[in-house]
Amino acid sequence: MTVEILDLETFLPYRLYHLADLVSRDFSRLYKDHFGLTRPEWRVLAGLGQHGTMTASALGEQSAMHKTMVSRAVAELERRRWLTRRQDDTDRRLEHLTLTKAGADAYRNMVPLAKAFEQQMLGRLTTSEQAALTTGLAALERKFG
C-alpha cells in the first residue's frame, strides 16, 4: 500500500499561512521598533484607530484574535494610557474601548509607516503581478469569507 505524501511547500493553505507569517513577522519589526508593540497590541491599536470605539469582542472578530489575547493587549494599551474603557449603559458586561489622545497620536504616526511598508512590499512585484495578487486574494476572500 502506497502512502500519499502531502508536499507542504506546494499545498496552497500552507503557502498562504507561511507567507502571511513571513510578512507579519517582517512588519512586526516596524511597530515593535517604533512603538514597542506586540502583534495583538498593534491589532487593537489599528482596529480602534480605524473604527473608533469598539468592544473587545468586536476587536477579536475583526482581528481574528482569541479573547485572551485581546484582553491582554487592551490591558497593556490601557496601562500606557493609549485607550480608555467605558462601561455600556444598558449591558454592564460590555465595555466600549476608545483611543486616548496619546493612542490616537501613536496610530496617526503608525499609518504612514504601515502604508510605506505595504508599498515597499508591493514594489517587489510587477504591475501585472500586483493585479493578479489583488484579483486572486479577492476571489479567495469571496469564496471563504
Side-chain angles (χ1 to χ4, degrees):
M1 180 167 99
T2 315
V3 176
E4 191 172 1
I5 302 293
L6 179 64
D7 181 7
L8 287 178
E9 288 72 27
T10 61
F11 183 56
L12 183 59
Y14 177 79
R15 291 177 68 197
L16 290 171
Y17 165 78
H18 185 65
L19 179 60
D21 188 57
L22 288 172
V23 171
S24 184
R25 283 184 198 196
D26 199 27
F27 182 54
S28 72
R29 287 187 206 105
L30 186 77
Y31 54 77
K32 183 175 175 146
D33 291 349
H34 282 81
F35 304 100
L37 296 171
T38 63
R39 259 186 235 186
E41 292 162 4
W42 174 82
R43 289 177 180 174
V44 168
L45 181 70
L48 292 174
Q50 179 184 0
H51 299 289
T53 301
M54 296 177 77
T55 64
S57 296
L59 280 165
E61 288 175 26
Q62 185 230 2
S63 61
M65 284 193 300
H66 188 273
K67 62 184 176 180
T68 304
M69 292 178 76
V70 173
S71 178
R72 288 181 186 148
V74 165
E76 176 57 24
L77 293 177
E78 184 179 38
R79 186 192 68 74
R80 288 181 180 215
R81 296 184 177 6
W82 283 13
L83 68 74
T84 59
R85 304 173 194 236
R86 182 183 55 78
Q87 197 168 53
D88 188 86
D89 295 333
T90 57
D91 186 345
R92 299 178 70 77
R93 296 170 297 174
L94 291 178
E95 292 180 323
H96 299 279
L97 308 170
T98 307
L99 292 179
T100 62
K101 180 181 178 335
D105 288 346
Y107 175 75
R108 274 192 296 281
N109 289 329
M110 181 187 65
V111 169
L113 296 173
K115 288 186 174 191
F117 177 88
E118 179 184 41
Q119 287 307 307
Q120 180 184 35
M121 189 175 83
L122 290 171
R124 298 175 185 176
L125 304 174
T126 66
T127 304
S128 61
E129 288 170 333
Q130 288 179 29
L133 176 64
T134 301
T135 301
L137 287 175
L140 285 170
E141 289 167 343
R142 276 193 310 276
K143 301 295 182 186
F144 288 93

